[in-house]
Structure formats: structure tokens, C-alpha cells
Amino acid sequence: MTPPWISTEMVTLAAAYAAGRLPHALLLHEAPGAGGDWLAKWTAQLVLCQRVTDAPCGSCAGCRGVATSQHPDLIVLQPIEESRQIRIEQVRELSEELSLTSHQGGYKVAILTPADALNRFAANALLKTLEEPPQRTLLMLVVTQPSRLPATILSRCQRVRIRAPDRQGAVSWLETTRGPGDWNAVLDALGEAPMLAADVDPAAVVQVGAEVRRALDEASTGSADPVATAERWVRSELPLRLRCIENWLTERIRGHYEGDSFFTKVGAGPYLPGANAVLNMGELFELVDGVRELKSALETPINRGLALEALLRRFVPGRGAIAAPAPSGRR
Ligand SMILES: [Zn+2]
């Protein structure tokens, strides 16, 4: 089902296409799990649909080819599995492919997702194609963190912002798309990421989410055993657990901003002993970075157990950790 929170962007893109003003490069900047890939596929269908007056119809050979990623004029570039990076060889192949005439006499479309996985060399190689794109080419870069791309790339793409819907909108879309379920609890675990939630087993996520919350609450009160927890978590659902940890941290950061604590304590300066709002905020952000680093290092030959244990230790008070008040906005 069409995600209603993207409808404005869809209308804008369709109007630009109808008027012959569709840019050759789009940066689809999404909130995590808010539908960047979905909009990229929809836009590919828009330009590759065989029914001009009704595009994208969703049922012609063109639309179906895009939906199954089998269309000869659609190229999807994703990270090579082990490296988690989009590499220069992939971009060179893409450029060659784009320079050929399209199979069906229309557009050639490339989707790079997530484009923030382009490594430095690959980004440089892509620049040339962005500067001198062949006629009737559409490049779409799906990103959650555009700051990881060089400014030279960003400046050559038109940005389309995809924001996550509010909680109620996400839940009712999930109920329509996936049927009844405890979607509130799923989003509590994953964050406001409806597209991500639509792809999971809700019961399993709720269980893992509750377990992670309990462990982090225990860690921040000093009553947890990071070694045992890390050993257990490395063996099951680690990427999901990291997503839950990131969301747990984000909620606390939001709690600080929404509550009075940030504004009342910010003037106290960062050098007071013990926990204060400024230190806590800095540490929360550092922990978010730590989780993201671990996420992107998952496929590299690191010792995941040790890395996770080190991360969990940073939640323990007295080790540069959070003396976390419950976030004021929630719970
Ligand atoms: Zn169609």
C-alpha cells in the first residue's frame, strides 16, 4: 500500500516528469526506514511505465520488471556483501552500462542504495557520470546520512526529503499493510521506521526489543554483566539488537531536549563533577556513534563479542556512562 507520508513527494516527482523537468540525479534523503528505497522504485516505475497517461500503472511489463528488479533498463547498485561498501568497479560498470542506449528506447535508471556506502574512490568515479549524464538518464541515491557523501556529489543532486510519519500514521499504515499486530511495541523497539517494521516478524522484534531495553536499563544502573550479555547477543539477532540500542539512546537524547533538563543545566558547563545534562548528552551522542561504528564493522573480521562488550561497558555508571533519568517525554 502506498505510504501516505510520501504522497507529496510522489506528486512533486510526477509533476516534474510530466513537465519534462525531472532532474537527472535525485538524492532521496530518508529518515531510517521511512521509505527511500520504496520511493526510488516508484520513481523508476514512473519513468519506465509503458502506459504514458497512467504512469506508474503498477501492472505493465515495465512496472512489474522494476518491482522484481528484472527490468533491463534498471540498475540497482548495493554494497558488495562482505565489504559493506559500494566500490569503484561497480560504479565503472554502471557508467558503462548507462552510456549504452536503453533496451526499450526510453530512460535508463540507476538506484544506489544505501549511497552513503559509496567509498571515496567510488564516489569520485560517480562524479563524472553526474557531471555529464547521458540523455534520458535518472540516477537516484538513497541515503540516511548525506554528510557521509562528498559535497561535490551532493551539489549535483536534487534533494528529496523523506520524513518518518508520526506514530499513529505509522501504526495505521502497518495495520493496513500487514494486518493486526502490536505495531506500537515494534516501533518502540525499532524507532519510527515503518518500512523496516513492515519487513519483520512483529512478535520476535517485540521480544528482542524488550530484552535489550531491560539489559540497558540494568547496565545504566550498574547491575548488569556486560560479558555474559555480549556473549548471548553476538549469537542471536545482533543487527536487530544494535538497532534497538540505537533507538534506546535516541529516545534518551530526545528526552533531554524535550524535558527542561537540557535548557536548565546547559549553563552549568561541562566541568562539574558527576553526571550533568551536558556530559550526558555528549556521552549519549558518543554512544550512538559507537553503535553505528559497530554496525558498519559487523562484516569485517573484528571480534564482535569483545567490541560489543566494550560498548556495553560504556553504559555502566562510573565508566564514562549515563546516569540516565527516564526520558521525560515518554514512559
Ligand atoms: Zn506501468
Side-chain angles (χ1 to χ4, degrees), residues 45-46 48-52 54-64:
Q45 287 181 325
L46 175 72
L48 293 172
C49 181
Q50 293 164 348
R51 291 196 203 142
V52 182
D54 194 19
C57 71
S59 54
C60 71
C63 288
R64 278 185 286 122

Side-chain angles (χ1 to χ4, degrees), residues 90-129:
Q90 291 171 277
V91 172
R92 282 197 183 128
E93 261 176 51
L94 170 73
S95 305
E96 267 169 43
E97 183 61 40
L98 289 177
S99 68
L100 305 173
T101 330
S102 78
H103 289 82
Q104 317 217 321
Y107 260 88
K108 283 186 94 85
V109 181
I111 299 174
L112 289 83
T113 181
D116 27 26
L118 281 162
N119 71 22
R120 193 158 46 94
F121 307 107
N124 266 336
L126 182 66
L127 204 52
K128 189 153 167 43
T129 303

